[in-house]
Structures are given as C-alpha cells and as structure tokens.
Amino acid sequence: MRVIDHFIAGGTAGLSAARTSDVFDPNTGAVQAHVALGDSAVLERAVEAALAAQPAWAATNPQRRARVMFRFKELVEAEMETLAHMLSSEHGKVIADSKGDIQRGLEVVEFACGIPHALKGEYTQGAGPGIDVYSMRQPVGIGAGITPFNFPAMIPLWMSAVAIACGNAFICKPSERDPSVPVRLAELFLEAGLPAGIFQVVQGDKEMVDAILDHPAIGAVSFVGSSDIANYVYQRGAANGKRVQAMGGAKNHGIVMPDADLDQVVKDLAGAAFGSAGERCMALPVVVPVGADTADRLRAKLIPAIEALQVGVSTDPDAHYGPVVTAAHKAKIESWIDRAVEEGSELVVDGRGFVLQGHEQGFFVGPTLLDHVTPQMESYHNEIFGPVLQIVRANDFESALSLASKHQYGNGVAIFTRNGHAAREFAARVNVGMVGINVPIPVPVAYHSFGGWKRSAFGDTNQHGMEGVKFWTKVKTITQRWPDGSVDGGNAFVIPTMA
Ligand code: NAD
C-alpha cells in the first residue's frame, strides 16, 4: 500500500518507516494509504537541511522572498481542483469546503507577499547627542508547525507563509489523519523557487512532536489542536526555552437576541454548526436564544432547516457536509450525544446511526439538535467537534453574556441582533478572543490575527497578520554613535541616560 512520506531537503525522504499509521477515506471507511511515523532521527535530517539552507534564505532580500510567495500562490491556484480533491479524500469535507480551506491559507500567502513592508523596523534619529536608535526584525531561525486534521491546508499555510517570508526555515508536522496536502505544498514551494530545506514536512505522532519540542535548534513552535495537547506542547516547548504559540479547542456560542432576524440566524446556524460536519474550531455548536419566546420561535425554524440538510460523500456537489474524519471520531461524537441525553437534554433531531446508502462503512453522522442544555452538563462543557447543535436558553442579555464569558473555551462568539448598543456592549465585555456581530464564523482576515482566549490558546501571540510576524521574528535594537572626535562621551562607568 502507498506510504505517505516525509519531505526533507527538497524531496521525499525515502526512509523505511519502522512505524506507520492508517490514512482512511472517510467516505468509504477504507484504508487508502499508510503514513510514515517519524522519530528523532528523521527530524535530525530535516533540521540539518534547514540549518544548511536558512542563513542564505534569511540573507535573501525580503522582496525576493516575497516573489517566491507570489509564484507559490499562482501554482496553488492553478492546482486548486486537484488539491481540493486530495484534501477531501482524506478529511471528508465537501469539495467546496476544501477549496475554502486552501483559499483561506492562500490569503495568508497574499499577506506574506507584503513582508518587505511588515519587516520595516523603527528608527529614532538623535535619541541622544550624536546617537540614533533603530530596530530590526530578524528571523528566529528554524520554526516548526504542528497542525490538526481539520484544516490540513489553511493551518500549515497560516504558519509557514509568515515564517518563511520572515526568513525562517519551517518544518511542518501535519496531522497523521490527513497528511498529504502539506507534502504537495512542499513540492509547489520548491517549484516556486523556494530553496530546498526551507519548507519541509516530517510525518508522525507524539514521538515526532516530542522530538520537535526537545530539539535545541528549533527556536519557535506553533501548534494548533486540542487544548490538553496544546497545553502540553506549550509547557514542554517553553521549558526547553522555545517560543511557543499553542491554539486549543473551542465551543463557540451564538447569542440570539429577541430582535434578531431569525430566518437569517437559521441560515447562518445551518452553515456554522453543521458545515464541515462541525469539525471547525470556529463552528457555532451552542446557540443561546435570549428569552423563552425567542427560543421557541428559533427552535421551530431550526428543526425543518436541520432536517433538510443533505449529508453526502465529499464529492457530492449537493451535500451540505460529508463524513467525519475517522470511525473513532464518529463514535466519540455519538457517545457525546448519548451523554447529553443521559444528562437530561432533549434530543430534538437525532443524527446517531446515520447510514448513507451505498456508503454503509463511511464515517457519517446525521445532524443533531439538542434543547434544554444547561451549563452544568459535561456535554456543554466539552468540545464535541461534530454536527451537533446545542440550545442553551438564557433569560436575559446578562446571562447570555456570562455563559460565553465563563465557558472554559474562548475562541470565538457571535451575537445576532439589530440593536447596535447591545452588540457594542457585548463585544466590549465578552471574555472571548474573536467576536462576530451578525457574523456566525468571525475568522479574522489574513492581515488581522487569529487567536482565542482562555483554554483556546496558550502563549501570547496570535496566528498571521502582524502578530504572526512578531512570533516568527526577534527584535534587535541598535544604539549607534559615530563620534567625530568632538562628541563628549561622558562618564563611561555609569548607566547611560539621555538626560
Ligand atoms: P489533536 O490535538 O488531536 O492533534 C493536533 C496535533 O497534535 C496533530 O499533529 C497530532 O499528531 C498531535 N498530537 C496528537 N496527540 C498528541 C500527543 N499526545 N502529544 C503530542 N502531540 C500530539 O487535534 P485534532 O483532533 O487533529 O484537531 C482538532 C482540534 O483542534 C479541536 O480541538 C479543534 O478545536 C482544534 N483546533 C483549534 C484551532 C484554533 O485555532 N484554536 C483551529 C483548528 C482546530
């Protein structure tokens, strides 16, 4: 069977893998390939190649680095269709969604095309007598990105486009569940003119992650995945003296005020709760209608909309969403639905046991709606990461605000209202990192930055935009003086001041 390999020093590594893991086609449930699971020896090869290539890449002027990004963007665009099929065949999301996954990643590449501007430093002339001060941003050196299964194109590009444009070498460790797209991206980077060793892919699981976290030559690690692992990566990477940004899980709430346009809200929720089978960290799996009347009206409109959703194979152009990523994940989602029922929530639409005719072994889960969910329930507290929408009823604005603010996760939140004052108040006070006002999935555009709060992110810089540039560079500040012989240097033995 085909083995998906590492991509090291400009080519597939061709190393025999002592350990491999199955890569499924979620539409059929069949194993379609194996992926190599690398270890510290594999990582060492990638680090050696990165160390050899990075100084010359960092010395390449930023405009030339940006030109490689331009060419790369064009190559990916030309291959959009093939890449989207490759992505869907391992992940299960529908083709349109895979194109969105790639497109959102390309938007960060577009941001990276402007890197010469972003890397301009600061300058103060005459900070003291004959003294100027300036700062420059220099690459960290070698960076690594450890990415989740749910956005196998976008998230590697969030990290790598900025890291590489800033002059770093970047080593990507994709999810072992859908590892192919980053390898193809590596080939396209090479074709775009990126030197070998600057974008590499090492495949693997925890063993490879630990090797990355412990390698002294890797200066920065960016992680996206579930919260417990994000926390682990943050702690271990930081203990080893690395810069770490680690994005975790989520449970985004959508607050529906009594004055909201409910027809629009239902359309938004259908996409935001069920799109990509709910396997998005910015999905909206909790809806909080304010007031019993809003809740009843919303529920009445939601039921037919959810029942009308088409679940199909990822290549079906009429399917709203496809299968989930693995059988294990399907079982986990269904057991969360069981738990929600045991805890006393009302199962309004039941997606368990869903079977798609002709694809009986596929990992499909039907859309599910639960009402009368309360904050005490485990199924509310935890991330389900499937096509499951939970209604948590709130009496008033303050309790809705407090629900979202007190939840362990704080990635995104949305409010639906026609009242500007309520929206403004909500945005200012809610304890969550990304807020949508009548926008169900408030993923910031590439030149802003992506990042949540609380257990949705560990570390202090966000992904892409100027936060990304900060993460992938170190600031160096130079204080210079060019004495002409008449400058009074003062007493060299006391701390210099400008007084
Ligand atoms: P995951 O945590 O299982 O895996 C993420 C990465 O960690 C993978 O590369 C995996 O190989 C590695 N990994 C797995 N187990 C490990 C271990 N024990 N030790 C070290 N590394 C390990 O996440 P996933 O299931 O691939 O992705 C879904 C999760 O990612 C969800 O929780 C979702 O909310 C989250 N996510 C968050 C964001 C965000 O920006 N906050 C974005 C996308 C996804």
Side-chain angles (χ1 to χ4, degrees), residues 372-392:
H372 300 288
V373 174
T374 66
Q376 293 72 37
M377 295 179 181
E378 270 183 44
S379 58
Y380 166 76
H381 185 67
N382 288 286
E383 185 178 37
I384 298 176
F385 220 55
V388 180
L389 178 60
Q390 293 171 292
I391 302 177
V392 183

Side-chain angles (χ1 to χ4, degrees), residues 101-121:
D101 186 330
I102 299 163
Q103 180 55 35
R104 286 309 293 246
L106 278 186
E107 289 168 14
V108 180
V109 177
E110 286 167 356
F111 167 75
C113 289
I115 207 69
H117 179 71
L119 287 180
K120 282 189 307 187

Side-chain angles (χ1 to χ4, degrees), residues 238-296:
N240 284 332
K242 297 183 197 317
R243 211 174 252 218
V244 187
Q245 54 177 193
M247 275 61 196
K251 189 104 184 198
N252 293 1
H253 291 44
I255 313 304
V256 182
M257 296 298 288
D259 66 351
D261 173 349
L262 290 192
D263 292 319
Q264 185 60 47
V265 170
V266 167
K267 278 189 208 150
D268 286 346
L269 282 173
F274 301 101
S276 199
E279 293 170 318
R280 292 178 180 143
C281 68
M282 288 296 275
L284 211 49
V286 175
V287 61
V288 186
V290 173
D293 175 61
T294 315
D296 293 341

Side-chain angles (χ1 to χ4, degrees), residues 461-479:
T461 46
N462 287 351
Q463 297 281 349
H464 60 74
M466 285 311 292
E467 290 268 302
V469 173
K470 271 191 195 169
F471 182 75
W472 295 110
T473 55
K474 298 178 288 191
V475 176
K476 184 180 279 179
T477 308
I478 295 99
T479 303

